[in-house]
Each structure stands twice: as C-alpha cells, then as structure tokens.
Amino acid sequence: MEGCCTISISKKQSCLFPTLLRLSTKEVVAIWDVVSAYVLRQMKLDKGVLVPGLGTFAVVHEQINGTEEVYVVRRPVFQLDMDMSCLRELVFPTVMIPGDIKIMPLDYCWLSQTNSLPPDMVRGCVEETILLYSFKLRTRQRPAFTFENIGILSCQDNVLCMQFHCSCIAGLASQDIWVALLLTRLWVPGSGVNNGVTTAQGMQAAQAHMFPRFQLAVSEAFSTQHTKVAEKHRVRTGEQEHPGKFSLPMLPNQRPGKRQQEPGPKPPSR
C-alpha cells in the first residue's frame, strides 16, 4: 500500500498491540476510514466526537463583523487531548469548544457494522493505533495522522495541529464558505493531498509515512520508556474498564505474591 511503513516493536511490547498484530495494513486503514466517516457524520449534525487519547472534533459557530455585514461562520475545530509526556518540545494551538456542543463517544457498534469487523477488534485497533502514535511522538518522530475527507494531524516546526481539507470546510459551511476557509488552518493540496484523498507524495522527510498506513514487526529491542507511556495511556483512556486488554510486563521484584520490603534503619556504628 502506498505510504506504508514498517514499525518495529519488541517481543515484550507485542503484548500492547495484540489487535494490530492480527490486522493487515489495509484493514487498519479501512477501520480508520470508517472512524473518519463517523466523525464527519456527527460534525454535520453539529455534534462533536471524542477520540479517546487523541482529541475531540467539533463544529463551532462564529460571528464575524465585517465592514458592511455580519458573517456567521460554521467551521471545524480539533481540540488535542494527549498525554503531556508525549508532547514534550511540541507546541499545539489552544482550542476551546463551547459547552453547549454535545460531544459523542465513538460508536463501536456502528463502526463494526460498517466494516464487518467485531466491535472489540475495532476498539482495539483504534486504541492501539493511538498508543503507537504517542510512542512515535515521544521518541521525536513526527508521522502525520490522516483522517479521510477531514484533515491531517501533522507536526511542522514542532507545532502539532490539525489541518483540515478544503472540501471538509466547504461541506460544513452552509454559507460564507470563503470566510470559513480564511479562519481555518488548511492542509495545502501540494503537501500530499489530491482531491481530499491523502497520498504519500510530496511529504517532507520528517513525514516519510503517514498513519495509519503501517505494518508492525516484532524485534528484540525493548524500551522501558515506551512501557511507562503505555501505562499512562491505559489510565487516561479508561482501560481499567477492560481488564486484560493490555498486559504490561512486570518487573522481577513485582511478581504476584511478593512484596518489596523497604530498607530498615541502619544499625548504630558502635
């Protein structure tokens, strides 16, 4: 598949990605295309969608006072919501979503019916892809995360932000489309988008591949730093409600039935 890359993980890390190791690149991309379709569908209904561990998509209404008339602009926004430990050295715009906008969770049953995969597999694919993406950001790698017909979450000059397709903005704005385009950060078509469809051509060296076009490969390397990120990600996304989903390796002195003893006071020198 065009733009696909191979990402190596260790054998101990493989327990964090049981679903991705079972899915092909084509299946992963298909799941995320359905996620994008669901997000865009809710945005057209003036509802927001929370993608756990990544951020929230929504549509805001803004009133712009022109020289001769008042414009009411309807445009998409994205509020980043990732673990701050993954965003070191990165800057991201502050986006405020009005409290009267209804935020919807991902409907895994609807997503499952659309692509004919079990809901648990769809959920696992979404959660594990976001976890893998956070790993890449933490290790100072800057892949671009694509959302079909919506936009691209990209990092340029250490600024991480969502850049929306012109077609997405035009489809959401019922009037004053040009004003909405001027107020929204756009993805330049020459940077890898052709008629709203993302490709790998024209990407910078730092964005040599684009999520979710990847294939996992198990290697011997092991990074405890990644495991710590996984632990934080599991807590943030409510992983505790689904025990057994991710099983982190335990340290030798943390085996079940054993308790690490704290060192007692030193005896007097006499």
Side-chain angles (χ1 to χ4, degrees):
M1 177 176 289
E2 185 181 15
C4 177
C5 73
T6 300
I7 300 177
S8 298
I9 59 174
S10 70
K11 290 183 178 180
K12 293 184 178 180
Q13 289 174 349
S14 62
C15 66
L16 303 175
F17 307 101
T19 305
L20 292 181
L21 290 172
R22 294 164 52 192
L23 296 173
S24 65
T25 302
K26 185 176 181 180
E27 291 172 325
V28 173
V29 172
I31 290 175
W32 277 100
D33 286 349
V34 173
V35 171
S36 300
Y38 175 80
V39 170
L40 187 58
R41 178 187 181 187
Q42 298 300 322
M43 292 172 67
K44 290 181 178 179
L45 298 176
D46 281 337
K47 298 178 181 179
V49 177
L50 171 63
V51 182
L54 190 64
T56 302
F57 291 89
V59 174
V60 298
H61 296 252
E62 295 181 354
Q63 182 174 310
I64 308 298
N65 296 320
T67 56
E68 298 180 356
E69 59 181 317
V70 177
Y71 301 93
V72 179
V73 180
R74 185 170 179 261
R75 66 184 186 89
V77 296
F78 177 76
Q79 185 182 66
L80 189 67
D81 184 22
M82 295 185 66
D83 192 329
M84 293 301 298
S85 64
C86 302
L87 302 176
R88 295 178 301 178
E89 302 178 1
L90 293 179
V91 178
F92 52 93
T94 301
V95 177
M96 299 300 296
I97 298 178
D100 58 345
I101 296 180
K102 185 177 182 180
I103 306 299
M104 306 292 294
L106 286 177
D107 189 343
Y108 291 104
C109 292
W110 185 89
L111 299 175
S112 173
Q113 295 175 359
T114 305
N115 61 10
S116 302
L117 289 174
D120 290 343
M121 183 168 292
V122 176
R123 178 191 294 270
C125 175
V126 172
E127 294 179 350
E128 293 170 24
T129 302
I130 296 174
L131 177 60
L132 186 62
Y133 180 70
S134 67
F135 281 178
K136 305 296 283 185
L137 291 181
R138 188 178 179 88
T139 56
R140 295 181 175 86
Q141 301 180 57
R142 307 292 187 249
F145 204 134
T146 66
F147 295 85
E148 187 182 37
N149 298 323
I150 295 180
I152 299 177
L153 181 61
S154 65
C155 185
Q156 298 178 0
D157 298 327
N158 288 334
V159 178
L160 181 65
C161 65
M162 177 65 66
Q163 297 173 299
F164 292 93
H165 296 328
C166 295
S167 58
C168 174
I169 301 172
L172 295 174
S174 57
Q175 58 183 354
D176 301 322
I177 296 177
W178 289 109
V179 179
L181 290 172
L182 291 174
L183 295 176
T184 309
R185 186 183 294 271
L186 305 178
W187 180 265
V188 181
S191 299
V193 178
N194 184 15
N195 296 327
V197 179
T198 304
T199 67
Q201 299 177 355
M203 299 303 298
Q204 299 177 358
Q207 299 175 349
H209 68 274
M210 307 182 75
F211 269 63
R213 291 168 172 80
F214 62 86
Q215 184 68 46
L216 285 184
V218 180
S219 65
E220 295 295 335
F222 177 67
S223 173
T224 56
Q225 185 180 48
H226 286 177
T227 304
K228 293 179 181 179
V229 178
E231 178 69 24
K232 292 182 179 180
H233 178 86
R234 182 174 62 174
V235 174
R236 286 174 57 84
T237 58
E239 168 65 25
Q240 295 171 342
E241 298 179 1
H242 306 279
K245 189 66 178 180
F246 294 144
S247 55
L248 294 175
M250 292 184 293
L251 299 177
N253 59 357
Q254 295 177 340
R255 298 297 180 185
K258 293 185 179 181
R259 181 177 179 180
Q260 185 177 5
Q261 297 181 354
E262 298 181 357
K266 293 183 178 180
S269 58
R270 293 183 298 178

